[in-house]
């Protein structure tokens, strides 16, 4: 089924960094030869949506339709689509285009495209048009930026994997989390609760560092071997020099020196949490143990597919709370209070 007209879709958008969500509509582009029209069913709420919609990372493009944890079904395909057919269960994550020619695109790491990857929302595409994300009933995406959702994963559960899943899986793989490695996960929110499951499935010894003891039982059920409260200063004495890898998923600035002191010689602190303000640390925290600080951005399309297949195979699934379109403003406030177990997912049929 080819389409030579734009598609009207219902969306949830914010008009400014201080405005509440409102229901509006917008037009999705006419299908190009390699485009898919996707009927979105579920869209996860990532803390990045909040940073973006509230203008915390700099001025946003408004009106804004956030959402980069998109799960749905292919509704129509362009004339030259080869990878997907109408009816396929698919996902879209944090980006929807890249140059396709630079060394990073060619090696499957499109997120680091030298021309600049096109984010799923709050960005301009290569034609200069704003992109609008997944708090929406329909989206048009070129097939190279779409992944297949394995049958074992329901679409609501699959949606958070498209950002929170790949953002934690990719650095765990890159820094060789596996048997014999001691890995700490800092922050047990949307990203953190998936990081525990992936690190455990990869064979690492997993320690969770959360502010309080409130989430301990669930952390252990997700596969954590140990759990400590960072509000207790004794935690930092007890765990000094312990970890090969620390994955920081926290949305706020931390005492970086304190976390670096938990690394073994040659250990690495990898930041995926993305607070707006710069971090501060003392270089001696690195020098004295040949330690590294690093960061990681989501993951490429090929690795996202690998992550979904790995999740399906190992029974890894986000714990979600499905909400309606009316509850998104409230859900944002609850995420800010860490009052979410552990990911809100919007049922976009309620739009
Ligand atoms: P989330 O669900 O809000 O989880 C963040 C967790 O951090 C909270 O559950 C809490 O865990 C901890 N935390 C929150 N405020 C804290 C504070 N002031 N001090 C210490 N700990 C605090 O958020 P998320 O969706 O997982 O996203 C986390 C961060 O990753 C955000 O900054 C987001 O923008 C970023 N992100 C980055 C990428 C990337 O590609 N690098 C991709 C997606 C998201 P405890 O209650 O257990 O302490
Ligand atoms: Zn995200």
């Amino acid at each position: 089924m080819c389409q030579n007209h734009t598609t009207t879709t219902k969306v949830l958008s914010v008009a400014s960094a201080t405005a509440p969500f409102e229901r509006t509509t917008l037009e999705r582009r006419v299908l190009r030869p390699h485009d898919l029209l996707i009927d979105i069913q579920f869209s996860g709420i990532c803390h990045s949506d909040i940073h973006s919609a509230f203008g915390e990372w700099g001025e946003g493009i408004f009106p804004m339709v956030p959402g980069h944890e998109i799960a749905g079904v292919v509704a129509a395909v362009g004339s030259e689509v080869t990878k997907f057919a109408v009816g396929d269960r698919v996902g879209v994550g944090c980006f929807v285009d890249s140059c396709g020619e630079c060394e990073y695109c060619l090696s499957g790491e499109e997120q680091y495209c030298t021309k600049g990857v096109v984010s799923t929302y709050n960005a301009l595409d290569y034609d200069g048009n704003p992109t609008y994300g997944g708090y929406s009933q329909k989206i048009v995406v070129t097939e190279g930026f779409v992944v297949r959702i394995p049958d074992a994963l329901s679409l609501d559960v699959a949606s958070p994997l498209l950002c929170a899943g790949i953002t934690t899986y990719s650095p765990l793989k890159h820094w060789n989390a596996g048997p014999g490695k001691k890995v700490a996960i800092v922050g047990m929110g949307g990203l953190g609760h998936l990081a525990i499951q992936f690190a455990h499935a990869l064979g690492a010894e997993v320690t969770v560092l959360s502010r309080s003891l409130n989430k301990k039982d669930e952390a252990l059920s997700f596969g954590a071997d140990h759990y400590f409260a960072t509000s207790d200063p004794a935690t930092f004495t007890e765990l000094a020099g312990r970890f090969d890898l620390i994955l920081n998923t926290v949305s706020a600035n931390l005492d970086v020196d304190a976390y670096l002191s938990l690394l073994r010689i040659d250990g690495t602190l990898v930041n995926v949490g993305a607070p707006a303000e710069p971090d501060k640390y003392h270089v001696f925290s690195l020098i004295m143990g040949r330690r590294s600080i690093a960061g990681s951005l989501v993951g490429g399309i090929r690795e996202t597919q690998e992550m979904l297949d790995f999740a399906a195979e190992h029974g890894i699934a986000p714990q979600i709370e499905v909400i309606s379109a009316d509850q998104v403003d409230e859900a944002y406030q609850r995420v800010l209070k860490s009052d979410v177990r552990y990911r809100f997912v919007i049922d976009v049929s309620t739009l």
Side-chain angles (χ1 to χ4, degrees):
M1 179 174 49
C2 284
Q3 292 206 138
N4 52 10
H5 52 83
T6 60
T7 303
T8 307
T9 181
K10 293 180 183 172
V11 301
L12 265 188
S13 73
V14 280
S16 74
T18 52
F21 277 97
E22 58 182 331
R23 289 174 155 83
T24 54
T25 60
L26 60 81
E27 295 298 311
R28 296 297 189 182
R29 68 173 181 247
V30 175
L31 294 196
R32 298 168 184 163
H34 285 283
D35 277 349
L36 308 177
L37 174 67
I38 299 168
D39 279 337
I40 301 176
Q41 294 189 1
F42 295 96
S43 195
I45 294 179
C46 177
H47 205 121
S48 301
D49 299 350
I50 303 176
H51 292 303
S52 305
F54 288 3
E56 292 170 4
W57 285 342
E59 216 171 304
I61 300 172
F62 293 98
M64 189 186 297
V65 178
H68 57 207
E69 294 185 334
I70 297 170
V73 175
V74 176
V77 298
S79 56
E80 289 173 31
V81 166
T82 56
K83 291 191 203 147
F84 296 97
V86 170
D88 285 354
R89 300 161 77 252
V90 293
V92 177
C94 296
F95 51 90
V96 289
D97 207 1
S98 73
C99 81
E101 292 167 355
C102 72
E103 67 174 295
Y104 305 107
C105 285
L106 292 175
S107 64
E109 303 219 276
E110 302 89 349
Q111 71 275 30
Y112 303 120
C113 171
T114 54
K115 184 175 175 182
V117 72
V118 177
S119 297
T120 305
Y121 67 87
N122 193 29
L124 297 178
D125 67 19
Y126 293 151
D127 296 329
N129 298 312
T131 56
Y132 298 106
Y135 299 3
S136 165
Q137 289 190 332
K138 293 171 193 297
I139 193 167
V140 172
V141 182
T142 189
E143 63 175 334
F145 293 83
V146 177
V147 290
R148 197 173 290 283
I149 294 179
D151 291 339
L153 296 172
S154 61
L155 292 180
D156 53 355
V157 163
S159 66
L161 294 171
L162 277 310
C163 173
I166 185 61
T167 300
T168 51
Y169 179 82
S170 183
L172 288 168
K173 290 285 302 244
H174 185 79
W175 276 277
N176 302 312
K181 291 290 173 65
K182 291 185 165 64
V183 174
I185 308 297
V186 188
M188 191 171 147
L191 269 56
H193 91 292
L194 282 166
I196 299 167
Q197 298 181 54
F198 282 122
H200 172 70
L202 289 167
E205 183 181 322
V206 183
T207 299
V208 173
L209 301 176
S210 180
R211 284 168 296 178
S212 69
L213 292 173
N214 293 342
K215 300 175 182 172
K216 182 171 182 181
D217 291 346
E218 280 166 332
L220 299 181
S221 78
F222 293 141
D225 300 289
H226 317 281
Y227 183 105
F228 292 85
T230 55
S231 55
D232 179 357
T235 291
F236 289 87
T237 331
E238 186 171 347
L239 299 179
R242 167 99 45 125
F243 302 108
D244 299 286
L245 175 66
I246 299 177
L247 186 65
N248 170 22
T249 74
V250 173
S251 49
N253 298 96
L254 296 178
D255 178 349
V256 179
D257 292 305
Y259 286 88
L260 288 172
S261 76
L262 306 185
L263 288 171
R264 294 164 54 83
I265 308 307
D266 285 329
T268 306
L269 167 63
V270 178
N271 293 295
V272 289
E277 297 303 321
D279 271 339
K280 250 177 79 178
Y281 63 91
H282 206 294
V283 287
F284 279 102
S285 301
L286 301 174
I287 292 171
M288 299 310 284
R290 201 165 56 194
R291 299 179 177 116
S292 307
I293 294 184
S296 182
L297 176 65
V298 292
I301 297 298
R302 189 171 59 219
E303 193 173 43
T304 302
Q305 187 66 61
E306 175 189 310
M307 175 277 307
L308 286 170
D309 297 340
F310 183 91
E313 188 186 326
H314 290 86
I316 290 171
Q319 185 174 316
I320 59 170
E321 189 174 329
V322 177
I323 61 167
S324 73
D326 293 326
Q327 294 173 291
V328 174
D329 290 306
E330 181 194 336
Y332 272 31
Q333 293 307 320
R334 287 184 54 196
V335 172
L336 290 173
K337 285 185 258 171
S338 299
D339 175 24
V340 49
R341 298 287 191 276
Y342 282 91
R343 199 58 143 185
F344 288 116
V345 172
I346 307 166
D347 175 353
V348 305
S349 71
T350 60
L351 259 169

